[in-house]
Amino acid sequence: MGLFPVDVGEVVDVRVALVLEGDGGWVVDEGVEVGVLPGGVFARATHVGPYDQISLTVHAVLAWCAERRFVVRGAVREVYVSDPARTSPGELVTHVLVPVDEEL
């Protein structure tokens, strides 16, 4: 999973999320931040195709939210479903999630 800002400026702080199992006693390198992603209500779409075209799906979801006056409340999440080492670029599956206010 990747987290990306809705408003992209010159510098983009990208975060990567992993599902970690166990008791939470993970060992991480210095400078690595570990946290829990917040849940909530999301607008979601599934992108099928190359990673370099995911922005088209992100823009479509954001436009859908704007048309319905949903307020976006955080970073866009991309959940990479396919293994790019075993899947052709045209068949990669990625879920795009945009967090919106719970007051729908």
Side-chain angles (χ1 to χ4, degrees):
M1 172 187 285
L3 296 176
F4 302 93
V6 172
D7 295 318
V8 179
E10 280 188 34
V11 177
V12 177
D13 180 25
V14 176
R15 296 175 184 240
V16 177
L18 303 170
V19 176
L20 300 174
E21 297 181 13
D23 61 4
W26 311 291
V27 177
V28 297
D29 291 335
E30 183 177 332
V32 175
E33 184 180 321
V34 176
V36 176
L37 293 174
V41 177
F42 295 85
R44 176 180 169 237
T46 300
H47 172 82
V48 178
Y51 291 148
D52 65 356
Q53 294 179 3
I54 291 175
S55 63
L56 300 172
T57 303
V58 171
H59 289 292
V61 175
L62 292 172
W64 185 90
C65 290
E67 288 171 359
R68 287 151 184 83
R69 301 185 192 274
F70 291 156
V71 177
V72 175
R73 64 168 178 81
V76 174
R77 298 182 188 186
E78 294 177 4
V79 179
Y80 307 104
V81 179
S82 305
D83 179 353
R86 298 174 187 229
T87 308
S88 68
E91 296 177 344
L92 292 169
V93 175
T94 307
H95 297 307
V96 173
L97 296 98
V98 176
V100 295
D101 275 341
E102 294 194 35
E103 296 291 323
L104 301 178

